[in-house]
Amino acid sequence: MSVMVENPADYIQQCMSSGLSSSYRFCFEFENTLLESESPQKEVYQALLYKQGERWRITIALIDNLVGEHNDQISALENSLAVDGPWLFKTVSIPKPWGQEIWYSAYEQRGVCHLADNNQQSGVPVHLWLYLFPELLRPSKELNLLKVLAPFSSPLLGELYFEVHEQKQEVYVVSHIDETAWPDGVAQMRFGFCSEKQKQFPSFAAFKAAYLSAVKRYEGLRKQIDEALQDQFQAAFTESDEQEKSEYLKHLPEALLRKEQLLADEMSAFIAKRPLHLGDVIQVPKLLPHGLLHGVRVVEFQTPVYERLILSFRQKVLTQDDWDTEQALTLLAEPPVSQGMQQGVCKLSTHFDELVNLERIVEFDGFEVFRLSFLQAAELGVAELLGPVIGGNTDFGNILLLALHEVSIQSGSAELFLQPEEGACLPVWKNFSENSMQLKAKKGSIVLLSRPLS
């Protein structure tokens, strides 16, 4: 019979270190705060912890899914994960008015990503795995967020929010530029306010007041358009794909669309833009207004907080009734400094300089991100590569990895194969120098690696 365990994280560690058995069955409760309920719901799981060769594995199943007398017949083959990783991120696609976000490490009511040994498994919810192995979060308190942002290609429909963050820090890596949207291969994004436009006003306060007036004029028209679309198409407009949305827009009066473009251009005159090339790194610090434009796909690493202030948006905002323009402008007492896109990208010297190029592309308060470019086909250890960079810091935490090209991750006898835009979590359980994970890729391959900072 399975025993009910009060603290499964401690119990798992005790079982693996005791050496008394190679197999343990137990049950535990998990308070799932992500369920849509007035109070947190306790779920009961049954687990099988067992040793396969030299590796510990664990199988987890909801007790509701186990029937009667078969309660103790949980299979070692269903949803089994190796305790020492690496684990594949099973992504969640979140539709947005401007396109979609692809989540790798997120866990919230809107969507929960999973961890798995391979693509064939459904995996274990990230927040459940962190409950069983809380040391994965050290030295931070939450898992950093890894996403891909994939806007539509048309200018009107593919623009993201023009927004600012008080706490959240982000870094983008441009992974694709749509040639139909940007034929010469050079895209743009909104990045701060236009310095030339600011010179037309006696003060930054006057500049902000003029910009606010332009936003208010557009916002009023925006609500008229949204109401017209809502009356004709109900919720379909906010949930449809790009082609369907473009067809819906054809039903609006031409004069209304021309006025929309005119007022959007008035707002845009206050905003600075930056060119974007494939592979560019864009660091988005706190309090810098920013917004991706259409047809630019990026990988995003960000602080694990959900907060933003929307200055403007060329579609209906689904999560709130009004924009936050006044509040955001109040926070900007001085013109925000827009960092250069490659500022802070630092070439790092390693023992493998003939094989790979390692760069630190950002170091924010809570995390840093590295870009690893293979100059030749190679296989190298993660610890040997990053060890000199972290200066012997043993409290390394986990590594979030996103492959831009095919790459394999080896750990002992286990091997995880990643296709482009597949992500993985590499746990660092021991002293970092003892980590045995290897990365293997062909010449020209690029991998992004993120780790938390205390």
Short mmCIF file of all heavy atoms in Angstrom, two decimals, residues 191-218:
data_model
loop_
_atom_site.label_atom_id
_atom_site.label_comp_id
_atom_site.label_asym_id
_atom_site.label_seq_id
_atom_site.Cartn_x
_atom_site.Cartn_y
_atom_site.Cartn_z
N PHE A 191 10.94 51.97 -29.44
CA PHE A 191 11.94 51.88 -28.38
C PHE A 191 12.20 53.26 -27.80
O PHE A 191 13.05 54.01 -28.28
CB PHE A 191 13.22 51.29 -28.98
CG PHE A 191 14.08 50.55 -27.99
CD1 PHE A 191 13.65 49.36 -27.41
CD2 PHE A 191 15.34 51.03 -27.65
CE1 PHE A 191 14.45 48.67 -26.52
CE2 PHE A 191 16.14 50.34 -26.76
CZ PHE A 191 15.70 49.15 -26.19
N GLY A 192 11.42 53.64 -26.78
CA GLY A 192 11.59 54.95 -26.17
C GLY A 192 10.86 56.04 -26.95
O GLY A 192 10.06 55.76 -27.85
N PHE A 193 11.14 57.29 -26.60
CA PHE A 193 10.53 58.44 -27.26
C PHE A 193 11.53 59.10 -28.21
O PHE A 193 12.74 59.02 -28.02
CB PHE A 193 10.03 59.45 -26.23
CG PHE A 193 8.82 58.99 -25.48
CD1 PHE A 193 8.83 58.90 -24.09
CD2 PHE A 193 7.65 58.64 -26.14
CE1 PHE A 193 7.72 58.49 -23.39
CE2 PHE A 193 6.53 58.22 -25.45
CZ PHE A 193 6.56 58.14 -24.07
N CYS A 194 10.98 59.77 -29.21
CA CYS A 194 11.79 60.38 -30.27
C CYS A 194 12.49 61.64 -29.75
O CYS A 194 11.84 62.61 -29.34
CB CYS A 194 10.89 60.72 -31.46
SG CYS A 194 11.74 61.55 -32.80
N SER A 195 13.82 61.64 -29.77
CA SER A 195 14.58 62.79 -29.25
C SER A 195 14.39 64.02 -30.13
O SER A 195 14.36 65.15 -29.62
CB SER A 195 16.06 62.42 -29.16
OG SER A 195 16.56 62.02 -30.42
N GLU A 196 14.24 63.84 -31.44
CA GLU A 196 14.03 64.98 -32.33
C GLU A 196 12.68 65.63 -32.07
O GLU A 196 12.55 66.86 -32.09
CB GLU A 196 14.13 64.53 -33.79
CG GLU A 196 15.53 64.13 -34.22
CD GLU A 196 16.52 65.28 -34.05
OE1 GLU A 196 16.18 66.41 -34.46
OE2 GLU A 196 17.63 65.04 -33.50
N LYS A 197 11.66 64.82 -31.82
CA LYS A 197 10.34 65.35 -31.50
C LYS A 197 10.37 66.12 -30.18
O LYS A 197 9.71 67.16 -30.03
CB LYS A 197 9.32 64.21 -31.43
CG LYS A 197 7.88 64.66 -31.25
CD LYS A 197 7.31 65.26 -32.52
CE LYS A 197 5.82 65.51 -32.40
NZ LYS A 197 5.25 66.15 -33.63
N GLN A 198 11.15 65.64 -29.23
CA GLN A 198 11.24 66.29 -27.92
C GLN A 198 11.81 67.70 -28.05
O GLN A 198 11.46 68.59 -27.28
CB GLN A 198 12.10 65.47 -26.96
CG GLN A 198 11.45 64.15 -26.53
CD GLN A 198 12.36 63.33 -25.62
OE1 GLN A 198 12.95 63.85 -24.68
NE2 GLN A 198 12.47 62.03 -25.91
N LYS A 199 12.67 67.92 -29.04
CA LYS A 199 13.29 69.24 -29.22
C LYS A 199 12.27 70.30 -29.64
O LYS A 199 12.55 71.50 -29.56
CB LYS A 199 14.40 69.14 -30.26
CG LYS A 199 15.59 68.31 -29.83
CD LYS A 199 16.61 68.19 -30.95
CE LYS A 199 17.78 67.29 -30.53
NZ LYS A 199 18.76 67.15 -31.65
N GLN A 200 11.10 69.86 -30.10
CA GLN A 200 10.06 70.80 -30.53
C GLN A 200 9.29 71.40 -29.34
O GLN A 200 8.44 72.27 -29.54
CB GLN A 200 9.08 70.11 -31.48
CG GLN A 200 9.72 69.56 -32.74
CD GLN A 200 8.74 68.81 -33.61
OE1 GLN A 200 7.51 68.92 -33.44
NE2 GLN A 200 9.25 68.04 -34.56
N PHE A 201 9.59 70.91 -28.12
CA PHE A 201 8.85 71.35 -26.94
C PHE A 201 9.80 71.95 -25.92
O PHE A 201 10.98 71.56 -25.82
CB PHE A 201 8.09 70.16 -26.33
CG PHE A 201 7.06 69.58 -27.26
CD1 PHE A 201 7.41 68.59 -28.17
CD2 PHE A 201 5.76 70.04 -27.25
CE1 PHE A 201 6.46 68.05 -29.05
CE2 PHE A 201 4.81 69.53 -28.12
CZ PHE A 201 5.16 68.53 -29.02
N PRO A 202 9.33 72.93 -25.12
CA PRO A 202 10.20 73.60 -24.15
C PRO A 202 10.65 72.71 -23.00
O PRO A 202 11.63 73.02 -22.32
CB PRO A 202 9.35 74.77 -23.65
CG PRO A 202 7.93 74.32 -23.87
CD PRO A 202 7.97 73.50 -25.12
N SER A 203 9.91 71.62 -22.75
CA SER A 203 10.26 70.74 -21.64
C SER A 203 9.73 69.33 -21.91
O SER A 203 8.89 69.14 -22.81
CB SER A 203 9.66 71.26 -20.33
OG SER A 203 8.23 71.21 -20.39
N PHE A 204 10.21 68.38 -21.14
CA PHE A 204 9.71 67.02 -21.29
C PHE A 204 8.26 66.94 -20.84
O PHE A 204 7.47 66.16 -21.39
CB PHE A 204 10.58 66.04 -20.49
CG PHE A 204 10.21 64.60 -20.69
CD1 PHE A 204 10.16 64.04 -21.96
CD2 PHE A 204 9.89 63.79 -19.59
CE1 PHE A 204 9.81 62.70 -22.15
CE2 PHE A 204 9.55 62.46 -19.77
CZ PHE A 204 9.51 61.91 -21.05
N ALA A 205 7.89 67.77 -19.87
CA ALA A 205 6.49 67.81 -19.42
C ALA A 205 5.57 68.25 -20.55
O ALA A 205 4.48 67.69 -20.75
CB ALA A 205 6.34 68.73 -18.21
N ALA A 206 6.00 69.25 -21.32
CA ALA A 206 5.20 69.71 -22.46
C ALA A 206 5.12 68.64 -23.54
O ALA A 206 4.08 68.44 -24.18
CB ALA A 206 5.80 70.99 -23.02
N PHE A 207 6.24 67.96 -23.75
CA PHE A 207 6.25 66.85 -24.71
C PHE A 207 5.26 65.77 -24.30
O PHE A 207 4.47 65.29 -25.12
CB PHE A 207 7.67 66.27 -24.79
CG PHE A 207 7.78 64.98 -25.56
CD1 PHE A 207 7.96 65.00 -26.94
CD2 PHE A 207 7.71 63.75 -24.92
CE1 PHE A 207 8.06 63.81 -27.66
CE2 PHE A 207 7.82 62.56 -25.62
CZ PHE A 207 7.99 62.59 -27.00
N LYS A 208 5.27 65.40 -23.03
CA LYS A 208 4.36 64.36 -22.54
C LYS A 208 2.90 64.79 -22.68
O LYS A 208 2.04 63.98 -23.03
CB LYS A 208 4.66 64.02 -21.07
CG LYS A 208 5.96 63.29 -20.86
CD LYS A 208 6.06 62.68 -19.46
CE LYS A 208 6.03 63.71 -18.37
NZ LYS A 208 6.14 63.10 -17.03
N ALA A 209 2.62 66.06 -22.43
CA ALA A 209 1.24 66.56 -22.55
C ALA A 209 0.76 66.47 -23.99
O ALA A 209 -0.40 66.08 -24.26
CB ALA A 209 1.16 67.99 -22.04
N ALA A 210 1.62 66.82 -24.92
CA ALA A 210 1.24 66.74 -26.33
C ALA A 210 1.06 65.30 -26.77
O ALA A 210 0.12 64.97 -27.52
CB ALA A 210 2.31 67.43 -27.19
N TYR A 211 1.95 64.44 -26.29
CA TYR A 211 1.82 63.02 -26.62
C TYR A 211 0.52 62.44 -26.05
O TYR A 211 -0.20 61.70 -26.73
CB TYR A 211 3.02 62.24 -26.08
CG TYR A 211 2.87 60.74 -26.14
CD1 TYR A 211 2.81 60.08 -27.36
CD2 TYR A 211 2.76 59.98 -24.97
CE1 TYR A 211 2.66 58.70 -27.44
CE2 TYR A 211 2.61 58.61 -25.03
CZ TYR A 211 2.56 57.97 -26.25
OH TYR A 211 2.40 56.61 -26.31
N LEU A 212 0.19 62.82 -24.81
CA LEU A 212 -1.04 62.34 -24.18
C LEU A 212 -2.27 62.78 -24.98
O LEU A 212 -3.22 62.00 -25.17
CB LEU A 212 -1.13 62.83 -22.74
CG LEU A 212 -2.37 62.43 -21.95
CD1 LEU A 212 -2.48 60.91 -21.84
CD2 LEU A 212 -2.35 63.05 -20.56
N SER A 213 -2.25 64.00 -25.48
CA SER A 213 -3.38 64.47 -26.29
C SER A 213 -3.53 63.63 -27.56
O SER A 213 -4.64 63.28 -27.96
CB SER A 213 -3.17 65.95 -26.65
OG SER A 213 -3.19 66.76 -25.50
N ALA A 214 -2.41 63.31 -28.18
CA ALA A 214 -2.45 62.47 -29.39
C ALA A 214 -2.99 61.08 -29.07
O ALA A 214 -3.79 60.51 -29.83
CB ALA A 214 -1.06 62.38 -30.01
N VAL A 215 -2.57 60.53 -27.93
CA VAL A 215 -3.06 59.21 -27.52
C VAL A 215 -4.56 59.24 -27.26
O VAL A 215 -5.30 58.34 -27.67
CB VAL A 215 -2.29 58.72 -26.27
CG1 VAL A 215 -2.96 57.46 -25.69
CG2 VAL A 215 -0.84 58.43 -26.61
N LYS A 216 -5.03 60.28 -26.58
CA LYS A 216 -6.45 60.38 -26.25
C LYS A 216 -7.31 60.49 -27.51
O LYS A 216 -8.40 59.92 -27.58
CB LYS A 216 -6.70 61.58 -25.33
CG LYS A 216 -6.18 61.39 -23.91
CD LYS A 216 -6.84 60.19 -23.23
CE LYS A 216 -6.39 60.02 -21.80
NZ LYS A 216 -7.00 58.80 -21.19
N ARG A 217 -6.80 61.23 -28.51
CA ARG A 217 -7.55 61.32 -29.77
C ARG A 217 -7.65 59.95 -30.43
O ARG A 217 -8.72 59.56 -30.92
CB ARG A 217 -6.87 62.32 -30.71
CG ARG A 217 -7.06 63.77 -30.32
CD ARG A 217 -6.62 64.71 -31.43
NE ARG A 217 -5.18 64.64 -31.68
CZ ARG A 217 -4.28 65.37 -31.04
NH1 ARG A 217 -4.67 66.20 -30.07
NH2 ARG A 217 -3.01 65.28 -31.34
N TYR A 218 -6.56 59.22 -30.42
CA TYR A 218 -6.60 57.89 -31.04
C TYR A 218 -7.46 56.94 -30.21
O TYR A 218 -8.24 56.14 -30.76
CB TYR A 218 -5.19 57.31 -31.18
CG TYR A 218 -5.21 55.94 -31.82
CD1 TYR A 218 -5.20 55.80 -33.20
CD2 TYR A 218 -5.30 54.77 -31.05
CE1 TYR A 218 -5.26 54.55 -33.80
CE2 TYR A 218 -5.38 53.53 -31.64
CZ TYR A 218 -5.35 53.42 -33.01
OH TYR A 218 -5.44 52.19 -33.60
#
